[in-house]
Amino acid sequence: RLEAWRRELKAGFEAPGDNETNDSIIFGYQTALLLKEFATTNRGNRYIAHFHEWQSAVGLLVAKRWQIPIALIFTTHATLLGRYMSAGGVDLYNQLTHINPDEEAAKRGMYHRHWIEQKAAQEATVFTTVSEITAYEAEMVLKRKADVILPNGLKLDKFAALHEFQNLHAKNKGILHEFLRGHFYGHYDFDLDNVLYFFTAGRYEYFNKGVDMYISALAGLNNLLKQQGSKVTVVAFIIMPGKAINYNVESLKGQSLIRDMRRTCNAIVEAMSERIFEATARGTLPNLEDLINEEEMVMLKRRIFTLRQRPALPPIVTHNMANDNSDDILLHLRRVGLFNNPEDRVKVVYHPEFLSSTSPILPLDYTDFVRGCHLGIFPSYYEPWGYTPAECTVLGVPSV
C-alpha cells in the first residue's frame, strides 16, 4: 500500500527513495486508520489527537482528509528547514523575513518533508510550539502563527532530592575517575583532586549545537592553562551519537587493564588484612616488611610494567568511526591540536554513542554522568528549547 498512499498524499513530489518519509507515511496512515476505527466505535464523545513533529504529521493530514470527527493538535519543536539552514551556516534568524521557504526547501532536496510539516501546521485544529523563538520561526517558515506556546518541561520526580546532590556527585565522579585511570593508562600523571569534568551533549549537529565553539574554546583554555603552569586538568567530554562502528581496542584495553589492577590490589589488601589479623591475634604487631610478600610484589610490578608499555597517546575518541577522515568533531580536534598530549591541561574524550550503564568503558547512564561532572557547556546557535541545561539545573550541576 505504500506506493498508493504516497501517491495519494503528495502526487508529483513523492520522493520514493526517502526511507524516513516512507516510514512516516506508513505510520501516518496506520494512525489515521486507528483513529477512524476509534471514532466510529465511540460516537457521541469528543476526542483529541496530538501529533508531535513532521514524522507523525501524515496521520494528521490523512485524518483531516478523511474528515474523521476528532480535534487535531500539531506541535513542532523546531522546523525542518530551520534546522537544515542553520546546519549549513546560514544566519537563520536574520534571514527569516527574506526567505521563500518552499524554494529553500527545494534547493536542499527536502521539499517533500517540508510540505508535510507546513501542511500539518496549517490544517491542525490547534498549532503549538515550545518557545517564542520557535513560534516566530514557525510563523515565517510554516506560514501559521502558533495558537499556543507550550514550553517543554521535565518530570522532576525521577530526580534526586536537593540534599542528595553532593553524595550523588561524589559517587558518580568516582566512576568517572575510574574511567580516567583506564583511558589514560600509561599517561595517567595528573592529580584527580585537581580534575574538572566539562561536557557537552545532544544530537550530532556540529554547528547548530555549537560544538565548533566548544572545541575552539577548549583549545584556548588549554593554551592558557599551560602558559600559567596550572596544576588543574580539565577533562572535556563530547557526548554525541556519530557514525560509530564499535569500541576501539585502546579504549577497551585501558579499562581491562585498570580493572585487572583493581582486582589484584584488592586481593593483596585482603591477604594483608589476614596477616595483620593473625599477628595481632597472637598479641604482636606485624613487621611492615611481612605485610606484602615477594610474589605479590612481582604481581604488582608486572602490571605496572604493562601499564607503562603504551606506545601511543590516549585516544580522543572511544570508538572506531565509519567516517574517521570526515567527522567534523574529529577534524576540528585535530586541527586545534587537542591530542591528549602529556603536557596538555585539557584532555578530550569524544564518545560518539548515547551513554549506558551497561557500557564496558563508561558504565553510566546520562543522568548519572551529568551528576558526576562539574559543568555542562551548550553554546548552541539553533536551539528551539534545550533540555540539556534544564537537566543540569535539576541535577545540581551548573551550565553555560
Side-chain angles (χ1 to χ4, degrees):
R1 302 291 302 276
L2 172 60
E3 186 174 346
W5 285 343
R6 190 169 53 224
R7 190 166 53 249
E8 175 187 316
L9 180 69
K10 45 181 184 171
F13 53 97
E14 294 95 333
D18 186 338
N19 291 330
E20 187 174 5
T21 301
N22 289 338
D23 290 342
S24 300
I25 292 171
I26 293 170
F27 177 72
Y29 270 85
Q30 290 175 331
T31 301
L33 287 167
L34 175 64
L35 292 176
K36 183 179 181 180
E37 183 68 21
F38 182 82
T40 302
T41 56
N42 294 273
R43 298 181 186 277
N45 294 314
R46 295 179 179 180
Y47 302 102
I48 294 172
H50 193 171
F51 299 83
H52 287 262
E53 301 288 52
W54 75 272
Q55 291 95 332
S56 72
V58 172
L60 185 152
L61 298 178
V62 177
K64 184 80 170 182
R65 187 170 295 179
W66 290 352
Q67 297 182 338
I68 298 173
I70 192 166
L72 304 169
I73 302 175
F74 180 59
T75 296
T76 184
H77 298 252
T79 69
L80 266 173
L81 183 60
R83 199 180 297 281
Y84 270 72
M85 292 180 68
S86 294
V90 175
D91 186 7
L92 178 69
Y93 297 113
N94 287 323
Q95 296 294 323
L96 276 175
T97 56
H98 307 294
I99 65 170
N100 182 316
D102 293 349
E103 288 182 3
E104 294 294 337
K107 282 195 298 187
R108 290 162 175 79
M110 40 82 71
Y111 175 77
H112 55 291
R113 296 185 178 194
H114 164 72
W115 179 87
I116 293 173
E117 183 178 59
Q118 186 181 70
K119 197 75 171 172
Q122 293 173 355
E123 296 198 356
T125 313
V126 175
F127 172 51
T128 82
T129 188
V130 297
S131 64
E132 290 184 5
I133 194 169
T134 307
Y136 170 67
E137 176 187 338
E139 186 176 358
M140 297 295 106
V141 173
L142 305 181
K143 303 305 180 184
R144 178 173 176 180
K145 186 173 183 177
D147 299 296
V148 185
I149 294 175
L150 300 173
N152 289 332
L154 296 172
K155 191 173 175 61
L156 295 181
D157 59 5
K158 76 172 184 176
F159 300 105
L162 290 174
H163 66 274
E164 295 185 13
F165 281 172
Q166 288 183 327
N167 293 337
L168 290 170
H169 172 68
K171 173 187 173 183
N172 292 296
K173 186 172 67 173
I175 298 174
L176 291 178
H177 283 350
E178 196 73 351
F179 163 79
L180 219 60
R181 295 183 182 104
H183 193 75
F184 288 88
Y185 83 90
H187 298 272
Y188 171 50
D189 56 359
F190 42 88
D191 183 5
L192 288 179
D193 289 335
N194 282 324
V195 166
L196 294 175
Y197 293 113
F198 295 175
F199 79 97
T200 193
R203 66 165 59 90
Y204 193 111
E205 293 184 21
Y206 170 73
F207 179 77
N208 284 354
K209 296 296 181 183
V211 186
D212 54 337
M213 185 178 293
Y214 177 65
I215 294 173
S216 294
L218 291 176
L221 178 62
N222 185 45
N223 292 331
L224 181 65
L225 292 176
K226 287 195 294 185
Q227 290 171 9
Q228 294 178 346
S230 176
K231 301 298 181 183
V232 172
T233 299
V234 173
V235 178
F237 289 93
I238 302 171
I239 311 296
M240 288 189 171
K243 295 181 179 178
I245 302 173
N246 49 29
Y247 296 111
N248 61 45
V249 172
E250 275 299 296
S251 295
L252 289 169
K253 181 180 178 181
Q255 300 307 316
S256 176
L257 289 175
I258 213 66
R259 288 184 189 117
D260 178 59
M261 178 68 85
R262 176 71 71 183
R263 286 192 295 269
T264 301
C265 290
N266 287 341
I268 292 173
V269 168
E270 188 174 345
M272 290 173 63
S273 176
E274 283 297 313
R275 294 179 195 124
I276 294 171
F277 174 76
E278 282 296 321
T280 53
R282 294 190 179 97
T284 61
L285 289 174
N287 293 322
L288 294 181
E289 59 270 18
D290 295 333
L291 288 182
I292 183 167
N293 60 38
E294 186 174 344
E295 180 184 356
E296 291 164 344
M297 287 295 291
V298 171
M299 290 169 60
L300 288 176
K301 288 177 180 178
R302 284 177 177 171
R303 282 153 180 80
I304 292 171
F305 178 79
T306 301
L307 290 177
R308 289 177 174 174
Q309 297 312 298
R310 187 171 208 169
L313 294 171
I316 59 176
V317 60
T318 56
H319 292 60
N320 295 313
M321 303 293 288
N323 59 336
D324 186 89
N325 293 324
S326 59
D327 182 274
D328 286 328
I329 292 175
L330 289 177
L331 291 176
H332 196 161
L333 290 171
R334 291 164 182 159
R335 188 164 62 249
V336 298
L338 288 174
F339 293 116
N340 292 335
N341 287 299
E343 66 273 15
D344 286 335
R345 298 280 37 93
V346 173
K347 316 288 187 180
V348 292
V349 179
Y350 171 28
H351 189 283
E353 279 189 343
F354 290 120
L355 296 172
S356 170
S357 58
T358 60
S359 167
I361 63 169
L362 186 52
L364 283 171
D365 289 326
Y366 179 72
T367 53
D368 290 330
F369 167 79
V370 174
R371 286 186 174 113
C373 290
H374 297 95
L375 183 67
I377 302 173
F378 314 106
S380 301
Y381 172 76
Y382 183 79
E383 190 64 77
W385 172 254
Y387 276 108
T388 42
E391 288 169 335
C392 283
T393 299
V394 298
L395 292 169
V397 176
S399 64
V400 176

